[in-house]
Amino acid sequence: MRHIQRFDAYHRVTHLVLMGSFLGLAATGLPLLFHDAGWAATIANLLGGLRVAGILHRLFAIVLILAFGAHVARLLRRLFVENDYGILWGPESMVPQPRDLKEMVAHFAWFFRRGPQPRFDHFTYWEKFDYWAVFWGMFIIGGSGLMLWFPAFFARIVPGWVFNIALMIHGEEALLAVAFIFTIHFFNGHLRPDKFPMDTVVFTGSLTEEEFKHERPEAYERLVREGRLDDLVVGPPPQRVLRAGRAVGTVAILLGLGIFSLILYAVMSHA
C-alpha cells in the first residue's frame, strides 16, 4: 500500500513543539488565573507552587515564541530569498481565498444534507483558520503576556491603565484559545467520525494513498495531472513512530479535555 507524504520533518517537529508548549502554557496558566480556587491550589502544588508554576509558564512562553519566530523567519526566507510566491496564493497556500468561503458554505450545507460534500484541496478552510489563529494568539495573548512579564519596561511606553486591560485580555483570550483548541481543533483533527480516535498523520507525516484521495480529491487529481504524485510517495511509517505518535496524541487529548473540563468548572463556579 502506497503512502503519500503530507508533512515533512520540519512541519512535524514544529507542530510537536507548538503542541507541547501550548499544553504547558495551559496547564501552568490555569492555576495562576484561578489561584483563589481550591482545585487550582492543588494543581499549583503538584507543579511545585504558584511561583514555580509562574516560572514554568514563562519558560513555555519562551519556547512558543522561539518556535513562532523560527516559522516566520522561514516564511520570509521562502518569500524573499527563494522567491516562492506560492505561499501567498494558490492551492498550497495558507492564505484564505474565495474558494475557502465557498467550501465552508458547501460544507455546512452538507452537514444538514442540503448538498454534496465539497472536494477539498491541499488545505481546508478550518486548517487555515487554525493556522492564522496562532498569529492572532501570538500578538494578542503573547503581547499582553510580555507586558505583564516586563511591566517596568512597558510602563515607559503606555499608561498604567493599559496593564489592567492587558491582564484581562491575557486571561480571557487564553481561555478562549484553550477552549477552542481542546474542543473544535481536537474534533477536526482527531475526534471526527472518520478519524476517531486519532489522526496520526501529523506525527507520522504520511497517510495512505486511498485516504489522501478520499480526503483531498482536488489535491490528489491536481498532483496526478502535474505528474508530482510519485514524488510524494513514501514507505509506511515505522511502527515505533506510529506507537509514539499515538502515545503522545493520547496524552495530549486527555490532558486537553481535562483542562477544558476545569475551565468549564471554573467559569460555572464564578458565574
Side-chain angles (χ1 to χ4, degrees):
M1 181 181 297
R2 299 206 309 177
H3 280 67
I4 307 299
Q5 184 183 60
R6 177 152 171 78
F7 300 114
D8 58 20
Y10 165 80
H11 291 107
R12 298 198 302 273
V13 171
T14 299
H15 180 270
L16 190 62
V17 173
L18 288 176
M19 181 182 69
S21 57
F22 185 84
L23 284 170
L25 284 167
T28 56
L30 206 59
L32 293 173
L33 183 62
F34 298 101
H35 58 87
D36 56 337
W39 60 266
T42 301
I43 296 177
N45 290 334
L46 291 174
L47 296 172
L50 287 175
R51 182 175 178 276
V52 175
I55 294 174
L56 291 174
H57 194 71
R58 290 169 174 81
L59 289 176
F60 284 121
I62 291 173
V63 173
L64 184 60
I65 291 171
L66 290 176
F68 179 76
H71 180 66
V72 172
R74 185 175 186 266
L75 291 177
L76 294 176
R77 177 180 176 80
R78 288 179 60 186
L79 183 59
F80 295 108
V81 178
E82 302 173 5
N83 297 323
D84 182 8
Y85 301 114
I87 67 174
L88 298 179
W89 203 257
E92 297 185 10
S93 171
M94 289 299 288
V95 175
Q97 300 168 42
R99 174 193 179 102
D100 298 306
L101 179 60
K102 180 180 178 181
E103 288 178 351
M104 183 181 70
V105 172
H107 205 201
F108 276 80
W110 176 71
F111 289 157
F112 295 98
R113 302 180 183 274
R114 291 294 183 268
Q117 184 177 13
R119 292 164 53 86
F120 296 113
D121 206 298
H122 192 73
F123 293 116
T124 62
Y125 67 88
W126 68 82
E127 290 170 336
K128 293 183 180 183
F129 183 90
D130 289 351
Y131 177 78
W132 287 103
V134 176
F135 285 78
W136 169 266
M138 289 302 300
F139 285 107
I140 300 300
I141 305 175
S144 58
L146 288 174
M147 287 186 62
L148 299 174
W149 190 355
F150 302 104
F153 172 79
F154 285 98
R156 303 172 186 173
I157 306 173
V158 298
W161 58 265
V162 175
F163 291 92
N164 293 328
I165 297 178
L167 180 62
M168 179 186 69
I169 289 177
H170 190 71
E172 297 299 326
E173 285 292 324
L175 287 179
L176 180 62
V178 170
F180 176 84
I181 290 295
F182 296 150
T183 53
I184 306 300
H185 179 72
F186 272 14
F187 178 83
N188 286 335
H190 302 291
L191 303 179
R192 67 182 190 273
D194 58 337
K195 286 298 180 180
F196 184 85
M198 186 181 304
D199 187 356
T200 58
V201 65
V202 76
F203 302 112
T204 64
S206 66
L207 69 169
T208 66
E209 185 174 0
E210 286 302 315
E211 286 180 296
F212 184 65
K213 185 178 181 179
H214 171 71
E215 294 177 9
R216 302 171 196 275
E218 288 290 322
Y220 181 85
E221 294 172 7
R222 175 172 51 81
L223 290 171
V224 171
R225 287 196 308 270
E226 297 172 357
R228 296 168 51 203
L229 184 67
D230 289 342
D231 297 335
L232 299 176
V233 174
V234 296
Q239 284 300 312
R240 65 179 185 280
V241 174
L242 193 58
R243 287 194 295 267
R246 287 172 177 166
V248 171
T250 300
V251 171
I253 290 175
L254 293 178
L255 182 59
L257 293 178
I259 292 174
F260 178 67
S261 298
L262 287 175
I263 291 175
L264 287 179
Y265 177 76
V267 171
M268 294 177 64
S269 298
H270 285 73

